[in-house]
Amino acid sequence: MTIVEWLILLLIAGVCGAIAQALVGYSRGGCLAAVAVGFIGALLGAWLSRLAGLPELFLVDVGGARFPIVWSIIGAALFVAVLSLIGGRRRVG
């Protein structure tokens, strides 16, 4: 995987994390936090979809790495919701 492909994956994860934070209405941190939330959401969402036997929706293949966009947003939204319950409510401005 090249540097450009890695940066594209970071960009996709950041957008998915930002969408999830906007859906939940909770934001802690900036761009790097959104990227981290997007990657954690991809792991959590893909795991939940496999556990439930659901298909992978809207996969993006970047340099041999498959990134599930829909499950990333769903997993990140669940992760951010849990974070907001634990850490207190902070509105997106």
Side-chain angles (χ1 to χ4, degrees):
M1 181 174 281
T2 66
I3 280 278
V4 173
E5 293 167 345
W6 187 236
L7 290 174
I8 290 171
L9 275 178
L10 287 176
L11 178 70
I12 293 169
V15 169
C16 290
I19 290 171
Q21 287 177 343
L23 286 174
V24 175
Y26 179 83
S27 177
R28 273 277 203 239
C31 189
L32 291 178
V35 170
V37 166
F39 274 119
I40 292 170
L43 294 172
L44 181 64
W47 177 71
L48 288 173
S49 72
R50 279 192 304 271
L51 193 65
L54 298 171
E56 293 181 344
L57 301 172
F58 193 49
L59 285 173
V60 174
D61 188 6
V62 179
R66 298 181 337 172
F67 195 87
I69 300 292
V70 173
W71 292 117
S72 175
I73 294 171
I74 292 171
L78 290 173
F79 180 66
V80 171
V82 169
L83 284 179
S84 71
L85 289 174
I86 293 170
R89 193 98 173 128
R90 182 175 170 193
R91 286 280 178 191
V92 174

